[in-house]
Amino acid sequence: MDIKPPITISSFDLERIEQLLGSAAYRKLPGVDALQNELRRATVVDPEKIPPDVITMNSAIRFVDDVTNTEYGMTLAYPSPSNPPDAVSIMAPVGSALLGLSVGQSISWQGPGGRPLQLRILAVTYQPEANGEFHL
């Protein structure tokens, strides 16, 4: 089993994600167990104490999948039909893999259809907490 890198999430993000996971609409989705495992192993801090290079909800990030050598720019979002095209839901495998990682970290993860992913964080180009937005 791969060793997972340490992750940090805000208490606010944890609360909102746990509310989603408790709802019937999301409780049985594939990948929910992996997301719950990530939440359990995370270091949880107040939103005001999140370092600016950590991926939080609504952060815009650049990362590369080292398996395919493909670079992506996405925003980690809560599930919503009104999300922009570059948004990745926290309920998607890539979204749950990215939460709490910081610039320079990598994580091995199972993607859609069981495809292996090796995601490496290149940059957090926008983070709400770094911009004084603690409760989005």
Side-chain angles (χ1 to χ4, degrees), residues 3-8 38 41-43 54 99-102 105-106:
I3 303 292
K4 301 287 185 216
I7 60 173
T8 303
E38 288 297 276
R41 72 181 193 84
T43 298
V54 170
L99 180 68
L101 293 175
S102 58
Q105 285 185 311
S106 293

Side-chain angles (χ1 to χ4, degrees), residues 5-82:
I7 60 173
T8 303
I9 62 174
S10 80
S11 55
F12 183 73
D13 286 350
L14 176 63
E15 183 179 313
R16 287 199 58 195
I17 294 166
E18 285 179 334
Q19 286 174 357
L20 279 176
L21 294 175
S23 73
Y26 300 107
R27 191 176 306 135
K28 303 283 186 195
L29 287 178
V32 165
D33 290 340
L35 176 55
Q36 288 175 324
N37 288 338
E38 288 297 276
L39 296 176
R40 278 193 286 276
R41 72 181 193 84
T43 298
V44 181
V45 301
D46 291 335
E48 296 83 3
K49 295 188 176 169
I50 288 280
D53 67 341
V54 170
I55 299 168
T56 61
M57 293 306 301
N58 300 305
S59 289
I61 54 191
R62 283 189 19 255
F63 63 97
V64 64
D65 179 352
D66 285 328
V67 172
T68 62
N69 201 31
T70 305
E71 188 174 322
Y72 299 92
M74 295 185 173
T75 299
L76 183 59
Y78 293 102
S80 170
S82 63

